Amino acid sequence: MNDLIVYGVGSLRSLRVHWMLQELGISYKTELIQSRSQQMQTSAYTAIHPGRKIPSLQDGDLIISESAAICLYLAERYGGGKFLPDVEIEQRARFFQVCFYVMTELDAHTLYVIAKHGGSLVQYYKPSPEAVEVAINGFNQQILVAESWLEDTKSYILGGAFTVADILLCTCLMSALRLAVQFPLQIPHKLIVYAENLQARKAFQLAEIANQKAVSV
Ligand SMILES: N[C@@H](CCC(=O)N[C@@H](CS)C(=O)NCC(=O)O)C(=O)O
C-alpha cells in the first residue's frame, strides 16, 4: 500500500486523479470530501488546500492540488515512462501545449464559466447571461482546435499512446456533454466518439466507482 491519499470525490476534476491512479494500478486511500461541503471548510482540510477545493493529493510529505498537476506528478513518479510523451523536447512541448490548452481554453475559462454563471453552479455564483454567451462562443471556437489535433476516433489526442492529456480532454468533453443539454455547445462528433472510446477503458470504469461520493477504495 502506497502512502497515497486522494482528497475529493464526486466531481469530474476529482475523477481525473482517480482515473490516473487506476491506470497506474496502485492502491490509495480516498477521503470522501465533496465540493462545497462542510468537510471542505474544516481547518484540517484548509491545511491540505488553503483554497478549499478538490482534488488534492498527499504522497508522504508531499501535498499538491490542481487536478492536471496531480495527474502529471503521478505519471512521472509511478508511470515508469507511460502516460507521458517521449523525452524529446519537441514532443514534450506538444504535450504541454495540449494539457495547458485543455485546462485553460476548455476547463477554466469556458466550461467552468458556463457552469458557474448559468449552469448547475449558478446558485453559488451570480447569474451572468453575458459571461455565459461569451464562454459558449469561446468553447465552440476553441473545441475545433482539439478536433483538428485528433487523427481519428480511435486515436489518442497525441497520436498512438494514451497520456495524461487524454484524461484531461476526456473529462472536459464529459463536462461539455452535460452542459450541452442546456446550452448550445457544438461538440464535434469525432470528439464525442473519442471520449466514448476512452470511457470504455477498465481504469476509467474503476475510477468512476472510486469517485462516487459514498464509496471508499
Ligand atoms: N483548477 C482546479 C479547480 C479545482 C476546483 O475548482 N474544484 C471544484 C470541484 S470540481 C471545487 O472544489 N470547488 C469548490 C469551490 O469553488 O468552492 C483543478 O483542476 O483542480
PDB file of all heavy atoms in Angstrom, residues 11 13 16 35-36 40 52-55 66-68 103 107 112 125, ligand 1:
ATOM      1  N   SER A  11     -16.673  14.827  -8.408  1.00  0.00           N
ATOM      2  CA  SER A  11     -16.577  15.838  -9.474  1.00  0.00           C
ATOM      3  C   SER A  11     -15.713  15.286 -10.606  1.00  0.00           C
ATOM      4  O   SER A  11     -14.959  14.324 -10.426  1.00  0.00           O
ATOM      5  CB  SER A  11     -15.966  17.145  -8.944  1.00  0.00           C
ATOM      6  OG  SER A  11     -14.569  17.061  -8.973  1.00  0.00           O
ATOM      7  N   ARG A  13     -13.247  16.783 -11.859  1.00  0.00           N
ATOM      8  CA  ARG A  13     -11.824  17.069 -11.589  1.00  0.00           C
ATOM      9  C   ARG A  13     -11.243  16.040 -10.618  1.00  0.00           C
ATOM     10  O   ARG A  13     -10.087  15.632 -10.764  1.00  0.00           O
ATOM     11  CB  ARG A  13     -11.659  18.499 -11.086  1.00  0.00           C
ATOM     12  CG  ARG A  13     -12.042  19.518 -12.139  1.00  0.00           C
ATOM     13  CD  ARG A  13     -11.748  20.949 -11.737  1.00  0.00           C
ATOM     14  NE  ARG A  13     -12.224  21.836 -12.784  1.00  0.00           N
ATOM     15  CZ  ARG A  13     -13.456  22.357 -12.836  1.00  0.00           C
ATOM     16  NH1 ARG A  13     -14.324  22.090 -11.880  1.00  0.00           N
ATOM     17  NH2 ARG A  13     -13.812  23.132 -13.832  1.00  0.00           N
ATOM     18  N   ARG A  16     -10.426  12.805 -12.499  1.00  0.00           N
ATOM     19  CA  ARG A  16      -9.131  12.734 -13.214  1.00  0.00           C
ATOM     20  C   ARG A  16      -8.074  12.022 -12.379  1.00  0.00           C
ATOM     21  O   ARG A  16      -7.298  11.209 -12.895  1.00  0.00           O
ATOM     22  CB  ARG A  16      -8.622  14.154 -13.498  1.00  0.00           C
ATOM     23  CG  ARG A  16      -9.416  14.874 -14.534  1.00  0.00           C
ATOM     24  CD  ARG A  16      -8.995  16.329 -14.638  1.00  0.00           C
ATOM     25  NE  ARG A  16      -9.872  16.998 -15.596  1.00  0.00           N
ATOM     26  CZ  ARG A  16     -10.147  18.294 -15.577  1.00  0.00           C
ATOM     27  NH1 ARG A  16      -9.611  19.084 -14.679  1.00  0.00           N
ATOM     28  NH2 ARG A  16     -10.958  18.799 -16.483  1.00  0.00           N
ATOM     29  N   SER A  35     -17.164  18.734  -3.126  1.00  0.00           N
ATOM     30  CA  SER A  35     -17.109  20.172  -3.391  1.00  0.00           C
ATOM     31  C   SER A  35     -18.183  20.904  -2.586  1.00  0.00           C
ATOM     32  O   SER A  35     -19.308  20.438  -2.475  1.00  0.00           O
ATOM     33  CB  SER A  35     -17.353  20.368  -4.890  1.00  0.00           C
ATOM     34  OG  SER A  35     -17.221  21.695  -5.211  1.00  0.00           O
ATOM     35  N   ARG A  36     -17.800  22.038  -2.049  1.00  0.00           N
ATOM     36  CA  ARG A  36     -18.715  22.913  -1.298  1.00  0.00           C
ATOM     37  C   ARG A  36     -19.399  22.210  -0.129  1.00  0.00           C
ATOM     38  O   ARG A  36     -20.538  22.499   0.218  1.00  0.00           O
ATOM     39  CB  ARG A  36     -19.772  23.528  -2.223  1.00  0.00           C
ATOM     40  CG  ARG A  36     -19.139  24.408  -3.272  1.00  0.00           C
ATOM     41  CD  ARG A  36     -20.087  24.949  -4.289  1.00  0.00           C
ATOM     42  NE  ARG A  36     -19.293  25.551  -5.344  1.00  0.00           N
ATOM     43  CZ  ARG A  36     -18.771  24.859  -6.358  1.00  0.00           C
ATOM     44  NH1 ARG A  36     -18.985  23.573  -6.468  1.00  0.00           N
ATOM     45  NH2 ARG A  36     -18.025  25.468  -7.249  1.00  0.00           N
ATOM     46  N   MET A  40     -14.946  20.437   3.562  1.00  0.00           N
ATOM     47  CA  MET A  40     -14.010  21.285   2.824  1.00  0.00           C
ATOM     48  C   MET A  40     -13.632  22.543   3.616  1.00  0.00           C
ATOM     49  O   MET A  40     -12.587  23.138   3.401  1.00  0.00           O
ATOM     50  CB  MET A  40     -14.670  21.672   1.502  1.00  0.00           C
ATOM     51  CG  MET A  40     -13.724  22.171   0.471  1.00  0.00           C
ATOM     52  SD  MET A  40     -14.630  22.432  -1.041  1.00  0.00           S
ATOM     53  CE  MET A  40     -13.925  21.177  -2.054  1.00  0.00           C
ATOM     54  N   ARG A  52      -9.385  25.596  -0.421  1.00  0.00           N
ATOM     55  CA  ARG A  52     -10.585  24.790  -0.149  1.00  0.00           C
ATOM     56  C   ARG A  52     -11.273  24.329  -1.430  1.00  0.00           C
ATOM     57  O   ARG A  52     -12.425  24.670  -1.703  1.00  0.00           O
ATOM     58  CB  ARG A  52     -11.564  25.565   0.724  1.00  0.00           C
ATOM     59  CG  ARG A  52     -11.021  25.876   2.077  1.00  0.00           C
ATOM     60  CD  ARG A  52     -12.037  26.643   2.873  1.00  0.00           C
ATOM     61  NE  ARG A  52     -11.522  26.990   4.174  1.00  0.00           N
ATOM     62  CZ  ARG A  52     -11.889  28.088   4.847  1.00  0.00           C
ATOM     63  NH1 ARG A  52     -12.758  28.918   4.316  1.00  0.00           N
ATOM     64  NH2 ARG A  52     -11.385  28.337   6.033  1.00  0.00           N
ATOM     65  N   LYS A  53     -10.522  23.601  -2.201  1.00  0.00           N
ATOM     66  CA  LYS A  53     -11.067  22.988  -3.409  1.00  0.00           C
ATOM     67  C   LYS A  53     -10.614  21.535  -3.452  1.00  0.00           C
ATOM     68  O   LYS A  53      -9.647  21.153  -2.800  1.00  0.00           O
ATOM     69  CB  LYS A  53     -10.540  23.716  -4.654  1.00  0.00           C
ATOM     70  CG  LYS A  53     -11.145  25.097  -4.847  1.00  0.00           C
ATOM     71  CD  LYS A  53     -10.926  25.574  -6.254  1.00  0.00           C
ATOM     72  CE  LYS A  53     -11.797  26.788  -6.524  1.00  0.00           C
ATOM     73  NZ  LYS A  53     -12.086  26.933  -7.936  1.00  0.00           N
ATOM     74  N   ILE A  54     -11.319  20.756  -4.242  1.00  0.00           N
ATOM     75  CA  ILE A  54     -10.874  19.391  -4.542  1.00  0.00           C
ATOM     76  C   ILE A  54     -10.534  19.343  -6.027  1.00  0.00           C
ATOM     77  O   ILE A  54     -11.076  20.143  -6.799  1.00  0.00           O
ATOM     78  CB  ILE A  54     -11.944  18.332  -4.188  1.00  0.00           C
ATOM     79  CG1 ILE A  54     -13.281  18.640  -4.887  1.00  0.00           C
ATOM     80  CG2 ILE A  54     -12.107  18.208  -2.692  1.00  0.00           C
ATOM     81  CD1 ILE A  54     -14.247  17.493  -4.915  1.00  0.00           C
ATOM     82  N   PRO A  55      -9.651  18.430  -6.447  1.00  0.00           N
ATOM     83  CA  PRO A  55      -8.970  17.407  -5.653  1.00  0.00           C
ATOM     84  C   PRO A  55      -7.640  17.911  -5.079  1.00  0.00           C
ATOM     85  O   PRO A  55      -7.086  18.906  -5.531  1.00  0.00           O
ATOM     86  CB  PRO A  55      -8.695  16.329  -6.698  1.00  0.00           C
ATOM     87  CG  PRO A  55      -8.431  17.108  -7.955  1.00  0.00           C
ATOM     88  CD  PRO A  55      -9.366  18.279  -7.886  1.00  0.00           C
ATOM     89  N   GLU A  66      -4.509  20.932  -7.787  1.00  0.00           N
ATOM     90  CA  GLU A  66      -4.635  21.119  -9.245  1.00  0.00           C
ATOM     91  C   GLU A  66      -4.647  19.749  -9.925  1.00  0.00           C
ATOM     92  O   GLU A  66      -3.628  19.054 -10.005  1.00  0.00           O
ATOM     93  CB  GLU A  66      -3.535  22.014  -9.847  1.00  0.00           C
ATOM     94  CG  GLU A  66      -3.673  23.480  -9.497  1.00  0.00           C
ATOM     95  CD  GLU A  66      -4.981  24.102 -10.013  1.00  0.00           C
ATOM     96  OE1 GLU A  66      -5.459  23.703 -11.089  1.00  0.00           O
ATOM     97  OE2 GLU A  66      -5.528  24.956  -9.324  1.00  0.00           O
ATOM     98  N   SER A  67      -5.818  19.424 -10.434  1.00  0.00           N
ATOM     99  CA  SER A  67      -6.012  18.070 -10.985  1.00  0.00           C
ATOM    100  C   SER A  67      -4.988  17.707 -12.050  1.00  0.00           C
ATOM    101  O   SER A  67      -4.479  16.580 -12.077  1.00  0.00           O
ATOM    102  CB  SER A  67      -7.439  17.940 -11.537  1.00  0.00           C
ATOM    103  OG  SER A  67      -7.708  18.954 -12.486  1.00  0.00           O
ATOM    104  N   ALA A  68      -4.662  18.640 -12.939  1.00  0.00           N
ATOM    105  CA  ALA A  68      -3.703  18.319 -14.004  1.00  0.00           C
ATOM    106  C   ALA A  68      -2.309  18.089 -13.423  1.00  0.00           C
ATOM    107  O   ALA A  68      -1.612  17.142 -13.813  1.00  0.00           O
ATOM    108  CB  ALA A  68      -3.662  19.445 -15.041  1.00  0.00           C
ATOM    109  N   MET A 103      -6.764  22.748 -20.056  1.00  0.00           N
ATOM    110  CA  MET A 103      -7.047  23.299 -18.721  1.00  0.00           C
ATOM    111  C   MET A 103      -7.449  24.771 -18.757  1.00  0.00           C
ATOM    112  O   MET A 103      -8.138  25.242 -17.852  1.00  0.00           O
ATOM    113  CB  MET A 103      -5.819  23.097 -17.816  1.00  0.00           C
ATOM    114  CG  MET A 103      -5.561  21.644 -17.486  1.00  0.00           C
ATOM    115  SD  MET A 103      -6.990  20.791 -16.782  1.00  0.00           S
ATOM    116  CE  MET A 103      -7.131  21.606 -15.199  1.00  0.00           C
ATOM    117  N   ASP A 107     -11.398  23.952 -19.827  1.00  0.00           N
ATOM    118  CA  ASP A 107     -11.838  23.796 -18.437  1.00  0.00           C
ATOM    119  C   ASP A 107     -12.118  25.149 -17.786  1.00  0.00           C
ATOM    120  O   ASP A 107     -13.256  25.442 -17.404  1.00  0.00           O
ATOM    121  CB  ASP A 107     -10.752  23.020 -17.660  1.00  0.00           C
ATOM    122  CG  ASP A 107     -11.167  22.703 -16.231  1.00  0.00           C
ATOM    123  OD1 ASP A 107     -11.776  23.570 -15.571  1.00  0.00           O
ATOM    124  OD2 ASP A 107     -10.884  21.595 -15.741  1.00  0.00           O
ATOM    125  N   TYR A 112     -16.148  26.062 -17.151  1.00  0.00           N
ATOM    126  CA  TYR A 112     -16.399  26.419 -15.742  1.00  0.00           C
ATOM    127  C   TYR A 112     -17.223  27.714 -15.652  1.00  0.00           C
ATOM    128  O   TYR A 112     -18.084  27.850 -14.785  1.00  0.00           O
ATOM    129  CB  TYR A 112     -15.063  26.572 -15.003  1.00  0.00           C
ATOM    130  CG  TYR A 112     -15.092  26.158 -13.540  1.00  0.00           C
ATOM    131  CD1 TYR A 112     -16.197  25.541 -12.969  1.00  0.00           C
ATOM    132  CD2 TYR A 112     -13.978  26.371 -12.726  1.00  0.00           C
ATOM    133  CE1 TYR A 112     -16.192  25.157 -11.636  1.00  0.00           C
ATOM    134  CE2 TYR A 112     -13.963  25.988 -11.393  1.00  0.00           C
ATOM    135  CZ  TYR A 112     -15.077  25.381 -10.847  1.00  0.00           C
ATOM    136  OH  TYR A 112     -15.077  24.999  -9.529  1.00  0.00           O
ATOM    137  N   TYR A 125     -22.975  31.239  -7.457  1.00  0.00           N
ATOM    138  CA  TYR A 125     -22.325  32.379  -8.108  1.00  0.00           C
ATOM    139  C   TYR A 125     -23.408  33.249  -8.740  1.00  0.00           C
ATOM    140  O   TYR A 125     -24.561  32.840  -8.845  1.00  0.00           O
ATOM    141  CB  TYR A 125     -21.335  31.897  -9.177  1.00  0.00           C
ATOM    142  CG  TYR A 125     -20.270  30.989  -8.611  1.00  0.00           C
ATOM    143  CD1 TYR A 125     -20.453  29.603  -8.598  1.00  0.00           C
ATOM    144  CD2 TYR A 125     -19.123  31.504  -8.027  1.00  0.00           C
ATOM    145  CE1 TYR A 125     -19.503  28.758  -8.055  1.00  0.00           C
ATOM    146  CE2 TYR A 125     -18.162  30.662  -7.481  1.00  0.00           C
ATOM    147  CZ  TYR A 125     -18.357  29.284  -7.498  1.00  0.00           C
ATOM    148  OH  TYR A 125     -17.420  28.444  -6.943  1.00  0.00           O
TER     149      TYR A 125
HETATM  150  N1  LIG B   1      -8.117  24.118 -11.337  1.00  0.00           N
HETATM  151  C1  LIG B   1      -8.557  23.279 -10.261  1.00  0.00           C
HETATM  152  C2  LIG B   1     -10.042  23.526 -10.000  1.00  0.00           C
HETATM  153  C3  LIG B   1     -10.499  22.828  -8.743  1.00  0.00           C
HETATM  154  C4  LIG B   1     -11.972  23.126  -8.495  1.00  0.00           C
HETATM  155  O1  LIG B   1     -12.492  24.211  -8.837  1.00  0.00           O
HETATM  156  N2  LIG B   1     -12.642  22.160  -7.858  1.00  0.00           N
HETATM  157  C5  LIG B   1     -14.048  22.325  -7.563  1.00  0.00           C
HETATM  158  C6  LIG B   1     -14.750  20.987  -7.656  1.00  0.00           C
HETATM  159  S1  LIG B   1     -14.686  20.370  -9.302  1.00  0.00           S
HETATM  160  C7  LIG B   1     -14.180  22.809  -6.139  1.00  0.00           C
HETATM  161  O2  LIG B   1     -13.592  22.249  -5.257  1.00  0.00           O
HETATM  162  N3  LIG B   1     -14.944  23.875  -5.929  1.00  0.00           N
HETATM  163  C8  LIG B   1     -15.205  24.393  -4.627  1.00  0.00           C
HETATM  164  C9  LIG B   1     -15.399  25.859  -4.630  1.00  0.00           C
HETATM  165  O3  LIG B   1     -15.189  26.507  -5.676  1.00  0.00           O
HETATM  166  O4  LIG B   1     -15.743  26.389  -3.567  1.00  0.00           O
HETATM  167  C10 LIG B   1      -8.279  21.812 -10.596  1.00  0.00           C
HETATM  168  O5  LIG B   1      -8.269  21.464 -11.781  1.00  0.00           O
HETATM  169  O6  LIG B   1      -8.053  21.009  -9.679  1.00  0.00           O
END
